[in-house]
């Protein structure tokens, strides 16, 4: 695997040399230590909150100063490959659990286990902490998590005679029933942007008993059985038997599917929880929306997730100082503030409770934060070739299935044969 990344790095090296190097922490006996923090936050509120946290750290720690290097999510994987191989990676690396496995495997990330206090370990949700633990080593601290939730146009539900669900969870069967009840008069019950469906189907599979992957690294095995196929089949039935899903949304991104939601063309939409911030900002004046209770399948409301993460470059000259900063960044108050800014879910119980108390009754937040308690470990995070399989095999196969070009057996065959092809090349 490292050979592949070295080849990728070679092709990107010229570009990398033209970019100012982030570098590892500097400092000598006559001045403070300076740590570089490559931040990927791209929402204005999250950028501002990151700057606030770093500013408060710098004020309180004159001998250890943190410098933000603002980056973005686009092509960040290739950028990190280049940085690590060129020795220009930042001290503190912002990324996500789904992407750090190769860097952990190649020993680019510091083992943070010695710096993780028992109190903080207990505060992190186990499933979320499992997602950043490789070979028994904690290589990152989770910072933000998203879940998939149902946003609903309250007016359209009421017009259809549907009582807005208020329980701790709601079943997929309830969602299907509501979707059918609100499909009338040229309007559809549901819009779901599934142009790139793999992430959603894999994340929501635990509710149906699906895991997809067993094992780790290049030796991980893929199974596509009843639990893995349950949700794709349900979506197919809702779209083509019930005809309760707006067809065009199956080929759109989640963001694009918000337009018919705002226009009153669909009563509900399944989205990443972070869309609450966009809906609050972009929905038409007077648009009365709610978030429905967390979705539960036959196996419960569990969802797998890939949290955003903070890691430490193993080659940093100041690993302990960088780990101390990450510990500070993931304090209860800071995590609560960051997740409020990004409309995401804190990965610690204390921060989630703090945010729930602060935002109690605010549209959508009670249900979004409630969904966070059901986040569980994500087997796909430990499969080295998952990103390649997701992009080149799974997404095209799911698109064909949702377009009725292949049936469920054909889908399973493509997914499983495709996994064999990417893991044997």
């Amino acid at each position: 695997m490292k050979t592949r990344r070295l080849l990728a790095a070679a092709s990107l090296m010229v570009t990398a040399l033209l970019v100012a190097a982030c570098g590892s922490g500097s400092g000598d006996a006559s001045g403070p230590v300076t740590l570089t923090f490559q931040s990927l936050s791209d929402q204005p509120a999250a950028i501002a909150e990151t700057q606030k946290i770093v500013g408060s750290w710098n004020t309180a720690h004159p001998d250890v100063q943190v410098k933000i290097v603002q980056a973005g999510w686009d092509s960040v994987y290739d950028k990190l490959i280049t940085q690590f191989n060129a020795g220009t990676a930042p001290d503190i690396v912002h990324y996500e659990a789904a992407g750090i496995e190769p860097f952990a495997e190649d020993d680019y990330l510091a083992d943070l286990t010695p710096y993780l206090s028992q109190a903080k370990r207990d505060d992190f949700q186990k499933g979320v902490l499992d997602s950043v633990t490789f070979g028994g080593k904690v290589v990152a601290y989770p910072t933000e998590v998203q879940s998939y939730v149902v946003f609903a146009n309250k007016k359209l539900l009421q017009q259809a005679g549907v009582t807005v669900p208020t329980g701790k969870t709601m079943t997929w069967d309830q969602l299907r029933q509501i979707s059918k009840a609100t499909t009338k008069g040229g309007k559809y019950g549901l819009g779901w942007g599934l142009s790139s469906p793999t992430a959603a189907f894999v994340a929501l599979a635990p509710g149906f008993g699906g895991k997809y992957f067993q094992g780790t690294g290049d030796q991980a095995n893929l199974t596509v059985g009843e639990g893995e196929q349950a949700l794709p089949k349900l979506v197919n039935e809702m779209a083509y038997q019930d005809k309760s899903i707006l067809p065009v949304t199956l080929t759109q991104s989640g963001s694009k599917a918000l337009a018919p939601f705002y226009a009153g063309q669909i009563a509900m939409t399944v989205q990443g929880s972070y869309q609450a911030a966009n809906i609050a900002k972009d929905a038409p004046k007077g648009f009365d929306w709610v978030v429905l209770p967390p979705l539960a399948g036959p196996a419960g409301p569990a969802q797998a997730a890939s949290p955003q993460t903070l890691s430490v470059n193993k080659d940093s000259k100041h690993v302990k100082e960088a780990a101390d900063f990450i510990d500070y960044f993931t304090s209860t108050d800071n995590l609560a503030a960051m997740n409020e800014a990004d409309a995401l879910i804190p990965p610690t119980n204390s921060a989630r409770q703090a945010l729930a108390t602060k935002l109690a009754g605010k549209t959508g937040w009670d249900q979004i934060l409630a969904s966070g308690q059901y986040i569980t470990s994500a087997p796909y995070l430990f499969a080295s070739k998952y990103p390649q399989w997701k992009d080149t095999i799974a997404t095209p196969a799911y698109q064909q299935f949702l377009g009725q070009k292949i049936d469920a057996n054909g889908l399973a065959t493509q997914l499983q044969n495709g996994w064999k092809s990417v893991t044997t090349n």
Side-chain angles (χ1 to χ4, degrees):
M1 179 171 285
K2 197 164 187 175
T3 300
R4 175 175 66 82
R5 283 190 285 281
L6 286 170
L7 290 173
S11 68
L12 294 169
M13 194 63 68
V14 173
T15 300
L17 293 174
L18 296 176
V19 179
C22 291
S24 291
S26 61
D28 53 40
S30 62
V33 168
T34 299
L35 302 174
T36 52
F37 170 22
Q38 185 164 282
S39 172
L40 306 180
S41 294
D42 53 7
Q43 297 292 333
I47 292 172
E49 192 57 47
T50 300
Q51 292 171 340
K52 181 179 177 181
I53 293 172
V54 170
S56 63
W57 165 274
N58 286 342
T59 298
H61 300 82
D63 294 334
V64 182
Q65 296 290 284
V66 174
K67 177 183 178 183
I68 297 173
V69 179
Q70 192 64 50
W73 289 95
D74 290 346
S75 302
V76 66
Y77 180 76
D78 289 338
K79 180 175 183 177
L80 286 170
I81 290 173
T82 303
Q83 290 175 321
F84 277 117
N85 281 287
T88 61
D91 298 285
I92 301 155
V93 180
H94 180 193
Y95 201 26
E96 63 176 346
I100 62 175
E101 189 275 341
F103 301 109
E105 182 179 313
D106 282 347
D107 207 27
Y108 288 128
L109 304 178
D111 179 8
L112 300 178
T113 309
Y115 309 104
L116 179 62
S117 69
Q118 189 61 49
K120 179 152 286 186
R121 180 184 287 275
D122 293 342
D123 201 14
F124 279 120
Q125 288 181 252
K126 184 180 183 304
V128 178
L129 193 61
D130 286 347
S131 71
V132 294
T133 304
F134 299 89
K137 299 178 180 179
V138 175
V139 299
Y141 283 15
T143 59
E144 300 176 279
V145 187
Q146 82 148 32
S147 64
Y148 288 92
V149 298
V150 182
F151 294 91
N153 181 325
K154 191 174 180 181
K155 180 179 179 181
L156 290 185
L157 264 60
Q158 292 173 336
Q159 287 178 345
V162 173
T163 300
V164 177
T166 57
K168 289 186 177 181
T169 63
M170 63 179 286
T171 67
W172 285 93
D173 285 341
Q174 284 179 283
L175 177 69
R176 185 174 185 177
Q177 293 166 4
I178 295 171
S179 188
K180 286 194 288 188
T182 50
T183 298
K184 59 179 65 177
K187 302 181 187 299
Y188 289 82
L190 185 67
W192 193 347
L194 288 172
S195 61
S196 298
T198 308
F201 286 161
V202 171
L204 292 164
F208 298 87
K211 293 184 177 179
Y212 281 91
F213 295 97
Q214 299 85 34
T216 61
D218 291 340
Q219 304 305 312
N221 295 313
L222 171 71
T223 299
V224 183
E226 183 178 342
E228 290 77 21
Q229 291 200 42
L231 182 55
K233 284 182 177 179
L234 176 61
V235 172
N236 188 279
E237 291 170 358
M238 291 178 67
Y240 297 104
Q241 291 183 20
D242 303 347
K243 300 185 185 302
S244 65
I245 297 179
L246 179 62
V248 69
T249 63
L250 297 177
T251 64
Q252 293 180 324
S253 67
S255 296
K256 290 288 187 182
L258 287 176
F261 183 56
Y262 296 153
Q265 191 177 3
I266 56 177
M268 300 176 292
T269 181
V270 178
Q271 299 278 347
S273 54
Y274 69 92
Q275 293 285 18
N278 293 323
I279 294 173
K281 174 171 60 75
D282 299 332
K285 185 177 181 180
F287 187 75
D288 192 4
W289 61 280
V290 295
V291 176
L292 302 186
L295 287 163
Q303 292 189 32
S306 172
Q308 291 186 38
T309 58
L310 292 180
S311 299
V312 175
N313 178 358
K314 187 177 182 179
D315 291 334
S316 170
K317 296 176 182 177
H318 303 284
V319 170
K320 181 184 183 303
E321 290 85 351
D324 288 343
F325 171 75
I326 289 178
D327 184 72
Y328 176 82
F329 193 99
T330 54
S331 69
T332 297
D333 291 344
N334 287 339
L335 280 184
M338 276 300 302
N339 281 272
E340 181 180 4
D342 255 341
L344 290 170
I345 303 168
T348 62
N349 295 313
S350 64
R352 196 173 69 249
Q353 288 300 320
L355 201 53
T357 299
K358 178 181 179 182
L359 301 178
K362 187 173 181 179
T363 302
W365 274 102
D366 290 344
Q367 292 76 16
I368 287 171
L369 292 171
S371 71
Q373 67 186 294
Y374 303 119
I375 298 298
T376 188
S377 57
Y380 67 92
L381 297 177
F382 305 98
S384 298
K385 296 295 182 70
Y386 169 75
Q388 181 182 352
W389 173 81
K390 172 179 175 288
D391 293 339
T392 64
I393 304 297
T395 292
Y398 282 125
Q399 289 172 338
Q400 291 179 51
F401 176 72
L402 294 175
Q404 292 202 305
K405 294 179 181 178
I406 58 173
D407 61 12
N409 290 332
L411 173 63
T413 298
Q414 284 198 31
L415 294 177
Q416 291 173 148
N417 289 347
W419 180 250
K420 292 177 183 177
S421 71
V422 300
T423 53
T424 55
N425 291 334

